[in-house]
């Protein structure tokens, strides 16, 4: 691999970020197939390739968005209804600790600050939360599942595959937003997908062309320097 190839790979990785506003521009299904073909080269334990991917667009996308948005709006009106919608595995910890809670808060308030959402403004917060389930207007939603019989390693495998999807999409001029928020509504999602009862929803990715004029897309999260998360052992 020469220097230009290295730069191209590095640019695709480092320029990827979560886009939260997309253009109403369709994505060629052949491009999606190409992205998934490349992404499937992700490693997996003993080459089990445990991923299942559902590409949702058109009327089926609209059905997904409408049903989950309706459920979220009902929860907003009656919070006790949230108990009906629980994720099948804990994505986040039950109790947050430092430094992760500080990073989480920095991320949340950084985004809200950019959107002029003040602390305690429940109406605006609810509206922004609902944007998740509109796929941020992306024309395509990718839903990733694994078989329930598989272990925790399958989720690691599919996560690497998803990263490949996002990098391959970026290299082709597309943008993405990974969304674990959908996991709470897995019962609705799996019904719309027509997925087997043996499958478990792991994550979704909004896919499309970023809206270059949306201020929300200027939000870039910081990263810790290598020295903060790496230990070099030589002797």
């Amino acid at each position: 691999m020469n220097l230009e190839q290295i730069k191209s790979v590095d640019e695709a990785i480092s320029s990827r970020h979560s886009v939260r506003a997309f253009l109403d521009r369709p994505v060629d299904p052949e491009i999606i197939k190409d992205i998934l073909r490349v992404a499937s080269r992700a490693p997996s334990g003993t080459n089990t390739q445990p991923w299942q991917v559902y590409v949702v667009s058109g009327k089926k996308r609209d059905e997904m968005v409408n049903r989950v948005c309706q459920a979220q709006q009902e929860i907003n009106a009656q919070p006790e209804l949230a108990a009906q919608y629980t994720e099948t595995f804990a994505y986040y910890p039950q109790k947050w600790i430092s430094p992760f809670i500080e990073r989480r808060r920095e991320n949340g308030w950084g985004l809200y600050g950019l959107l002029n959402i003040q602390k305690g403004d429940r109406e605006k917060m609810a509206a922004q939360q609902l944007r998740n389930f509109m796929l941020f207007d992306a024309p395509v939603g990718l839903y990733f599942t694994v078989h329930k019989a598989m272990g925790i390693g399958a989720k690691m495998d599919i996560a690497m595959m998803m990263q490949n999807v996002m990098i391959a999409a970026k290299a082709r001029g597309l943008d993405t937003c990974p969304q674990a928020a959908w996991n709470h509504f897995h019962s609705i999602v799996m019904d719309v997908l027509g997925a087997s009862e043996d499958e478990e929803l792991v994550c979704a990715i909004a896919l499309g062309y970023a809206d270059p004029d949306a201020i929300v897309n200027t939000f870039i999260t910081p990263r810790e320097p290598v020295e903060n998360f790496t230990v070099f052992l030589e002797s």
Side-chain angles (χ1 to χ4, degrees):
M1 182 174 286
N2 60 39
L3 184 59
E4 287 304 312
Q5 290 173 317
I6 293 172
K7 287 182 177 179
S8 295
V9 173
D10 286 355
E11 176 62 21
I13 294 172
S14 60
S15 64
R16 184 219 65 81
H17 70 283
S18 294
V19 163
R20 295 179 174 87
F22 291 85
L23 296 173
D24 182 19
R25 176 182 170 188
V27 180
D28 186 340
E30 290 302 316
I31 295 178
I32 299 175
K33 288 181 183 178
D34 194 41
I35 288 170
L36 293 172
R37 177 185 58 78
V38 172
S40 71
R41 293 305 307 174
S44 60
T46 63
N47 198 35
T48 51
Q49 304 174 65
W51 41 77
Q52 179 74 27
V53 186
Y54 294 86
V55 181
V56 182
S57 59
K59 292 181 180 179
K60 187 59 71 171
R61 173 213 176 274
D62 294 343
E63 178 188 353
M64 181 77 79
V65 166
N66 291 337
R67 286 184 60 181
V68 175
C69 280
Q70 180 180 349
Q72 182 60 57
Q73 288 173 315
E74 290 172 353
I75 290 172
N76 291 343
Q78 297 177 272
E80 65 274 13
L81 295 178
Q84 298 179 18
Y85 303 103
T86 56
E87 54 193 352
T88 59
F89 66 96
Y91 185 91
Y92 293 113
Q94 290 185 347
K95 183 178 180 180
W96 287 91
I97 62 172
S98 183
F100 313 112
I101 184 62
E102 288 83 7
R103 293 173 187 167
R104 177 179 171 85
R105 287 169 177 163
E106 178 187 28
N107 180 73
W109 290 117
L111 176 62
Y112 280 6
L114 188 66
L115 298 174
N116 195 31
I117 300 175
Q118 305 300 318
K119 189 173 184 178
D121 192 336
R122 297 182 181 277
E123 187 174 338
K124 284 188 177 181
M125 287 181 180
Q128 182 58 34
Q129 183 185 33
L130 202 62
R131 292 282 297 152
N132 283 280
F133 307 117
M134 297 176 182
L135 288 167
F136 301 111
D137 298 328
V140 179
L142 305 177
Y143 295 85
F144 296 78
T145 72
V146 295
H147 197 286
K148 291 178 181 178
M150 300 299 287
I152 189 66
K155 292 183 175 63
M156 297 170 63
D157 296 339
I158 200 170
M160 289 186 280
M161 191 268 195
M162 288 172 58
Q163 174 74 354
N164 277 1
V165 167
M166 291 185 281
I167 299 307
K170 188 65 182 177
R172 289 161 175 77
L174 289 155
D175 279 284
T176 55
C177 186
Q179 299 177 269
W182 290 87
N183 291 1
H184 287 281
F185 295 105
H186 72 94
S187 59
I188 298 175
V189 171
M190 301 300 264
D191 182 57
V192 174
L193 297 178
S196 164
E197 291 184 0
D198 293 329
E199 293 175 63
E200 179 180 39
L201 179 65
V202 176
C203 198
I205 292 180
L207 173 72
Y209 295 94
D211 182 349
D213 298 323
I215 190 171
V216 70
N217 288 338
T218 66
F219 182 66
I220 308 294
T221 53
R223 290 294 184 270
E224 290 291 308
V226 172
E227 293 76 15
N228 284 11
F229 61 81
T230 309
V231 178
F232 291 94
L233 302 173
E234 296 182 359
S235 61

